[in-house]
């Protein structure tokens, strides 16, 4: 075994003109979460515990689109989703349609550990665990939902200002597009974490609020095992980007599959999947292997990500 490794992400599709202060805020949060994970791994915590802890921290901070920072659906509330998977036995838990749960990833963990099921959604998931809905309705998101409705569009990065205009349709001339929308309003900012611990056990977790002004009931890739999240005895993977494209390509599972069936190394597998399995879609992913390797890949203009390994590497 090559020691422990950890990677985190805060969304693919980042606007190349993102204001510097937003970039710095993202770097600080990812660094804090990496250090949290590193400390836990040095204390011999298991991979599954570490991914839950790190993603919970990301959900609690409103910077990214998960937990408290979740985008608002068309009806003005949140519909959060998350999944977690333990490569040791391929145990998994997933939730979607949450409106009142403070940390969706922890509810997903409870589904895995405390229920006879792998996936709970909407009222069934809410019955499983409840919190105050008002926790998620931030003033910033309410304002951006209003802009999205006025522009009659779905907004992906709802914290990048549209310079020179007070509507999000002002950036329609951007040459970068995803799902037909200009990239400058597209940073999904889904969060995720992948870990291999000192015992070679892999785990992965992903959490998101979805799309601003999305249709109520829309479910993306993040809670879907094999699409947005996957872990097995070989690797752990968390994806971000165009949910529909990630679902079609079963992106996370494909990384493990080409490692298993084609004999590719981790970075080779990530590169292959990004190039060959997205068709015309755009996405990114982070991954670790049971040998202590860490990798990332994306075909977008950018992706918030960070990683660290037991030998002292951190980026």
């Amino acid at each position: 075994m090559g020691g422990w490794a950890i990677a985190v992400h805060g969304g693919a599709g980042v606007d190349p003109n993102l204001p510097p202060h937003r970039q710095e805020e993202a770097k600080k949060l990812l660094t804090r979460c990496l250090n949290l994970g590193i400390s836990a791994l040095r204390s011999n915590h298991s991979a599954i515990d570490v991914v839950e802890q790190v993603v919970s921290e990301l959900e609690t901070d409103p910077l990214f689109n998960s937990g408290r920072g979740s985008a608002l659906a068309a009806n003005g509330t949140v519909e959060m989703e998350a999944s977690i998977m333990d490569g040791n036995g391929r145990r998994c838990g997933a939730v979607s349609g949450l409106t009142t749960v403070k940390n969706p990833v922890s509810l997903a963990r409870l589904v895995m550990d405390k229920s006879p099921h792998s996936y709970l959604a909407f009222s069934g998931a809410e019955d499983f665990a409840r919190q105050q809905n008002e926790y998620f309705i931030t003033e910033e998101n309410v304002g951006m939902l209003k802009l999205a409705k006025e522009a009659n569009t779905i907004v992906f990065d709802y914290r990048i200002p549209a310079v020179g205009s007070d509507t999000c349709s002002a950036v329609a001339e951007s040459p970068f597009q995803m799902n037909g929308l200009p990239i400058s309003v597209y940073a999904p900012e889904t969060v995720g974490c992948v870990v291999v611990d000192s015992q070679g056990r892999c785990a992965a977790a992903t959490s998101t609020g979805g799309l601003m002004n999305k249709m109520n009931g829309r479910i993306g890739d993040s809670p879907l095992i094999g699409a947005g999240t996957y872990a097995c005895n070989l690797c752990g993977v968390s994806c971000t980007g165009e949910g529909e494209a990630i679902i079609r390509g079963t992106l996370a599972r494909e990384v493990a599959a080409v490692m298993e069936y084609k004999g590719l190394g981790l970075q080779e597998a990530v590169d292959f999947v990004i190039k060959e399995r997205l068709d015309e879609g755009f996405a990114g992913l982070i991954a670790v292997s049971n040998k202590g390797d860490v990798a990332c890949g994306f075909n977008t203009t950018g992706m918030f990500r960070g990683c660290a390994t037991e030998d002292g590497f951190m980026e």
Side-chain angles (χ1 to χ4, degrees):
M1 297 300 176
W4 56 257
I6 180 173
V8 296
H9 72 72
V14 179
D15 180 7
N17 298 313
L18 189 68
H21 75 274
R22 276 281 287 129
Q23 298 183 39
E24 287 306 311
E25 289 173 352
K27 288 178 183 177
K28 287 179 180 178
L29 177 54
L30 292 178
T31 300
R32 189 173 86 227
C33 291
L34 270 180
N35 284 329
L36 184 70
I38 290 168
S39 177
L41 286 163
R42 285 174 175 167
S43 298
N44 293 318
H45 289 213
S46 68
I48 192 68
D49 287 341
V50 177
V51 294
E52 180 190 358
Q53 183 179 12
V54 170
V55 173
S56 292
E57 183 73 10
L58 288 163
E59 290 173 336
T60 303
D61 193 299
L63 183 66
F64 290 132
N65 177 13
S66 66
R68 193 176 187 193
S70 290
L72 304 181
N75 68 352
T77 189
V78 294
E79 287 187 358
M80 300 170 292
E81 48 197 40
S83 61
I84 191 168
M85 189 165 186
D86 187 349
N88 184 26
R90 286 186 286 196
R91 301 166 60 247
C92 61
V95 289
S96 59
L98 302 179
T99 62
T100 66
V101 177
K102 182 176 180 180
N103 289 114
V105 71
S106 293
L107 183 59
R109 175 75 184 271
L110 288 171
V111 170
M112 179 179 76
D113 288 343
K114 304 295 185 180
S115 86
H117 306 300
S118 295
Y119 196 156
L120 292 176
F122 296 94
S123 61
E126 293 288 347
D127 289 342
F128 198 54
R130 291 190 178 278
Q131 289 290 339
Q132 290 296 316
N133 190 48
E134 287 77 9
Y135 175 86
F136 304 100
I137 311 302
T138 64
E139 181 179 351
E140 192 174 44
N141 281 344
V142 170
M144 201 56 206
L145 177 63
K146 181 175 181 290
L147 292 181
K149 286 183 174 294
E150 289 173 353
N152 193 30
T153 188
I154 295 169
V155 175
F156 292 75
D157 188 340
Y158 43 92
R159 280 170 285 258
I160 297 175
V163 179
S165 174
D166 58 0
T167 71
C168 54
S169 60
V171 289
E173 296 182 359
S174 169
F176 305 102
Q177 293 198 342
M178 293 175 73
N179 275 346
L181 295 176
I183 196 73
S184 52
V185 294
Y186 190 97
E189 300 185 347
T190 292
V191 302
C193 180
V194 292
V195 167
V196 56
D197 60 27
S198 58
Q199 303 300 311
R201 298 171 298 195
C202 299
T206 312
S207 180
T208 190
L211 312 179
M212 183 68 72
N213 203 27
K214 64 185 177 182
M215 293 178 64
N216 290 100
R218 182 265 185 183
I219 295 173
D221 66 286
S222 296
L224 301 184
I225 300 301
T229 304
Y230 191 74
C232 61
N233 63 334
L234 286 176
C235 63
V237 184
S238 175
C239 301
T240 174
E242 285 186 74
E244 283 69 20
I246 295 170
I247 292 168
R248 293 193 302 269
T250 58
L251 215 62
R253 167 59 185 158
E254 282 291 286
V255 174
V258 296
M259 290 179 71
E260 183 175 358
Y261 301 129
K262 292 176 69 71
L264 299 185
L266 184 68
Q267 188 65 60
E268 289 179 301
V270 168
D271 293 341
F272 176 85
V273 167
I274 292 294
K275 181 179 179 181
E276 302 293 340
R277 294 295 183 261
L278 277 169
D279 300 319
E280 296 181 356
F282 290 88
L285 61 85
I286 54 174
V288 292
S289 78
N290 62 0
K291 296 180 180 179
D293 300 317
V294 62
C296 73
F298 54 95
N299 64 353
T300 61
T301 53
M303 180 172 72
F304 287 123
R305 77 271 188 197
C307 61
T309 58
E310 189 172 350
D311 61 11
F313 174 79
M314 183 174 178
E315 183 177 48

